[in-house]
Amino acid sequence: LLCSGVWLLSGKGGDGKTNAAWAFAKHFLKGKPLKSPEGQLSWEKGNVLWLSGDQPDPVMDDQIRTHLDREDCEGLHVESNFNINDYPGFMTLANRHKPKLVVIDSLRSTHRGTGVSENDSEFALPLRWYEQMMGQPDMFESCMILVIHHSGHSRAGARGSSAIGDMTSFVTNFSVPSDKSSFNPVNQRLINFQKHRFGLKDHCIVC
């Protein structure tokens, strides 16, 4: 269900995408299994590399204190003012810390220095680079790269060019359950799979 590759997690601002990403980070840092109808889904414990674009340090510190225990932080490595187009910089970080999970928060805030709009297909090119270079000799080891992005104003799915979803192997949409849903909109969120390399499209994770 959750595996190596570039994952796009899109959703409306304020719905809790970043909180969900921290929950995934905690699972990786602890090696804690994820509950599912098929039983416990486990993965190897490993480091987490969190790459932030414009998050102030006090906000990041507050998020870490909120979501992680002190012992979890040993495997967490945070880099602020990250540029998603800085491929050599990413390789240096990835090869130094050997992460099992990389979180890029967010696609828009880390995408700078090119002058390219979200509506242009070129905006998605970094996603393809990370997808293609992962696991290649002399590049960086395979891992799960979770890229947080805003959804469109009038539809579910990533904001901007359709190439953003095309350039990744996994596309998910993060949403608050409706009042008519069987889920509780107060304390539950839904991650719907819109694209999955191994055919798990239309599956859903409840957070």
Side-chain angles (χ1 to χ4, degrees), residues 68-83:
L68 301 181
D69 300 323
R70 184 181 296 274
E71 59 269 20
D72 299 331
C73 297
E74 294 181 6
L76 174 68
H77 306 278
V78 177
E79 187 75 15
S80 300
N81 299 313
F82 177 71
N83 185 345

Side-chain angles (χ1 to χ4, degrees), residues 2-12 16-22 24-25 28 48-53 82-85 87 90 100-111 118 123-131 134 140 143-151 157-159 163-174 191-192 194:
L2 302 175
C3 48
S4 298
V6 178
W7 290 72
L8 184 68
L9 176 63
S10 62
K12 295 180 180 178
K17 300 183 299 296
T18 301
N19 288 340
W22 278 115
F24 280 122
F28 275 88
V48 171
L49 179 60
W50 192 286
L51 305 175
S52 172
F82 177 71
N83 185 345
I84 199 172
N85 297 285
Y87 305 141
F90 174 81
K100 294 294 182 183
L101 171 68
V102 176
V103 177
I104 298 179
D105 184 17
S106 63
L107 178 58
R108 174 71 270 177
S109 67
T110 60
H111 201 302
E118 287 180 345
F123 187 83
L125 290 178
L127 301 177
R128 175 55 69 193
W129 184 88
Y130 288 99
E131 188 80 66
M134 183 184 301
F140 61 95
C143 58
M144 179 179 176
I145 299 180
L146 184 63
V147 182
I148 299 174
H149 188 48
H150 287 289
S151 62
R159 186 177 68 191
I164 294 173
D166 295 340
M167 293 293 186
T168 65
S169 291
F170 308 93
V171 177
T172 62
N173 184 67
F174 190 89
I191 298 179
N192 292 289
Q194 298 176 323

Side-chain angles (χ1 to χ4, degrees), residues 174-189:
F174 190 89
S175 63
V176 179
S178 68
D179 293 335
K180 298 179 180 179
S181 170
S182 59
F183 300 105
N184 188 346
V186 175
N187 61 3
Q188 291 183 314
R189 298 294 184 267

Side-chain angles (χ1 to χ4, degrees), residues 49 89-99 102 139-141:
L49 179 60
F90 174 81
M91 287 177 55
T92 297
L93 292 169
N95 289 318
R96 179 187 302 156
H97 300 299
K98 309 291 185 186
V102 176
M139 299 306 288
F140 61 95
E141 295 180 8

